[in-house]
Amino acid sequence: MCSEPGVFPWKNSSSKNQDAPSSVSWRLFGSKSSGNLSSKSLSCEVQKSLTPVSSTANTPHHHHKRQGSSASEKQFEDLVASSMALIQHDRPSNLPAKCTEEALRHKAEHARMVEAAKRRVEREAAARHARMQESLRLEERLARHAKEWTQSILPDWQNTKNAKRTLELWWSGIPPAVRGKVWQLAIENKLKITHEMYQDYVAKAKQRLHEAQLRRKRLKVNQNTCSCKKETTEEKTNKLDDILGKTDDRIKVEEEHKPRLGIPRNYSEQNLKTQENEPKKCCSKSNPNLIEYSDECSMELIQLDIARTFPHLCIFQPGGPYFDVLHELLAAYVCYRPDIGYVQGMSFIAAVLILNMEAPQAFVCFANLLDGPVLRAAFTRDGATMQRLWKAFGRVVHAWLPWLGGRVAPELYLVEWLYTAFAKAMPLDAACRVWDVFLRDGDTFLFNTALGVLHLYQDELKDMDFISAAQFLTKLPEDLDTEALFKSISSVSLTADGMSFEELASCCELDTTLDDDVTVRL
């Protein structure tokens, strides 16, 4: 039995030697103890191995604590209070002493735990070192590539852009220092937009926005000063029925003379569009939050989406340094292409460009980029073209990943991937790496990337149900390995039944039973 009284005898050693060494390795598991094993119950070897090396262990002071040592004693007590450290101490005096076999077993367990902890810390340190070395190698590689781009490729762009070495550097990722310049050269300016045109469109957008705000104020004032008589409930009901009847008649006439457009992608925008064809109403019936719509005034809807653009960066939100820049660029595009207006998803594409170049250059690239075949079909709501693309991609997925085609329809994830060019679904650095090759190879590479993502995460998707898979694909993991993604992209191709993606899209039959815009809405 232990000779010292108390429930936890190792906590009774209040008087510790101030001259004892303070740097003891692995003190959490090998805490110093004041208890001695009984010579009657333990052999000399065990007693020697378990007896703590403390000059004051045999002279405990139970009630007289040295002043100024409360903090250190509290820390010591916290250390030895762990279950792993308890096995190295004697049992309390009111319990039987450990036998020799038990003490040796506890000592071995303690040694194993210490060794396991050491190995874990060593593994973590090795992983940190490996990450640091990889980061250094990446920085050195980007520096070498940036120098090669600057000195060898960009000065002679027309002759070097299709060279084998250039294409290799392009695939491996354009260095951020030259990415904006390379993107501008890759996109080109087929629309012949100048910086002066951009400034004119910005000024025009601001004027339109100011006029819209004035109209809204006038609507509010007129509503407050209106002297129209109040209608009874019956009169309101009759008028509502008349309006609904006229609306039904108008819809039937429109359906007879032109194909349906289906559900609009931006309901708020469509709601405003209907205002221009409706007769003027009494001011008390007017909604002060709605303005008389023209396509150029859809710039007001832009603010609804800007706050949701890369919210983790906190630079595009109201008050951020790029909020006005992004808003001006999108509003200028609404003035430049009033036939298209603003469509959800544009803010992410514009934001990626703004992060890599100045606003005038970003506007030129933005307008030319949206003039590409796939993005133009998406943002102009060309339902026939989008249906062909969906069906072609579905056939490719069925050829490479047949188990996925019947589980998750491409429309559930591909729509958002295309409308934002993966800027919303992927981490920003991975999205920029995808953009590098997308701007080199054209819009079709977006479908290459989509197939590569599905191929990369096929093992995870197999274990998910319909809802989980759709949510997973909508927002890909933050730890997306870009190198693994591009290996996956290169391991698959947009072919099925011996035909290329373009051939598949051209031969797909349209489903006339669906609304054109249903397949392309967000």
Side-chain angles (χ1 to χ4, degrees), residues 309-315 317 428 475 478:
T309 304
F310 298 125
H312 59 284
L313 297 181
C314 301
I315 59 176
Q317 282 61 51
L428 185 57
K475 184 62 177 177
E478 290 294 331

Side-chain angles (χ1 to χ4, degrees), residues 185-477:
L185 294 173
I187 297 174
E188 299 180 344
N189 187 12
K190 296 180 180 180
L191 300 177
K192 306 300 181 182
I193 301 175
T194 63
H195 294 179
E196 291 75 15
M197 292 173 60
Y198 168 68
Q199 298 298 338
D200 292 341
Y201 285 128
V202 170
K204 185 177 181 180
K206 290 181 178 180
Q207 179 65 25
R208 294 283 182 176
L209 187 61
H210 179 67
E211 293 174 358
Q213 292 173 347
L214 292 178
R215 284 198 299 271
R216 177 171 295 155
K217 290 180 179 180
R218 286 198 298 269
L219 286 173
K220 290 182 178 180
V221 172
N222 293 336
Q223 183 188 31
N224 295 331
T225 60
C226 178
S227 59
C228 296
K229 65 177 182 178
K230 295 184 179 180
E231 297 176 327
T232 64
T233 304
E234 183 177 358
E235 291 175 343
K236 291 181 179 180
T237 304
N238 293 335
K239 286 192 174 183
L240 180 60
D241 293 337
D242 293 340
I243 294 173
L244 292 176
K246 293 179 181 179
T247 303
D248 293 338
D249 295 338
R250 186 182 62 189
I251 292 176
K252 291 179 181 178
V253 172
E254 291 177 352
E255 288 179 346
E256 294 176 356
H257 291 84
K258 63 180 181 179
R260 291 182 61 191
L261 294 179
I263 301 174
R265 291 184 57 255
N266 191 324
Y267 183 77
S268 298
E269 181 179 350
Q270 186 69 11
N271 214 12
L272 290 176
K273 285 185 178 180
T274 60
Q275 301 300 310
E276 62 180 352
N277 297 324
E278 293 183 359
K280 297 286 184 177
K281 299 180 181 180
C282 172
C283 56
S284 63
K285 315 299 184 301
S286 302
N287 186 346
N289 295 321
L290 298 179
I291 60 175
E292 294 181 5
Y293 181 84
S294 68
D295 282 305
E296 293 178 355
C297 288
S298 66
M299 63 189 70
E300 284 200 326
L301 303 174
I302 296 172
Q303 295 184 1
L304 301 176
D305 278 347
I306 291 183
R308 296 178 291 184
T309 304
F310 298 125
H312 59 284
L313 297 181
C314 301
I315 59 176
F316 295 108
Q317 282 61 51
Y322 286 100
F323 174 81
D324 292 333
V325 177
L326 180 57
H327 189 227
E328 289 178 359
L329 189 149
L330 295 173
Y333 183 78
V334 171
C335 292
Y336 172 68
R337 291 297 303 268
D339 56 320
I340 299 177
Y342 175 76
V343 182
Q344 290 177 351
M346 288 182 176
S347 61
F348 280 90
I349 296 178
V352 173
L353 294 171
I354 289 174
L355 290 174
N356 289 277
M357 60 191 76
E358 297 297 326
Q361 293 87 348
F363 178 78
V364 174
C365 292
F366 181 77
N368 284 273
L369 194 61
L370 266 57
D371 198 51
V374 174
L375 294 181
R376 181 175 63 248
F379 288 113
T380 58
R381 305 176 183 88
D382 185 353
T385 301
M386 299 308 291
Q387 275 193 46
R388 291 189 176 94
L389 294 174
W390 297 152
K391 290 189 175 183
F393 185 75
R395 292 179 63 178
V396 172
V397 172
H398 182 73
W400 288 92
L401 304 170
W403 57 270
L404 181 63
R407 180 175 298 184
V408 183
E411 293 86 352
L412 294 176
Y413 54 86
L414 195 58
V415 171
E416 188 165 285
W417 287 358
L418 291 181
Y419 273 94
T420 62
F422 292 96
K424 184 178 180 181
M426 285 186 183
L428 185 57
D429 55 345
C432 288
R433 177 80 181 274
V434 170
W435 274 51
D436 292 340
V437 187
F438 155 54
L439 299 180
R440 184 194 75 176
D441 296 348
D443 292 1
T444 307
F445 185 74
L446 295 175
F447 293 93
N448 285 91
T449 304
L451 186 61
V453 170
L454 299 178
H455 182 267
L456 176 64
Y457 290 109
Q458 57 181 322
D459 293 336
E460 290 85 346
L461 293 172
K462 287 180 180 179
D463 299 330
M464 296 181 184
D465 56 18
F466 169 80
I467 297 178
S468 300
Q471 292 176 344
F472 177 84
L473 294 175
T474 301
K475 184 62 177 177
L476 298 173

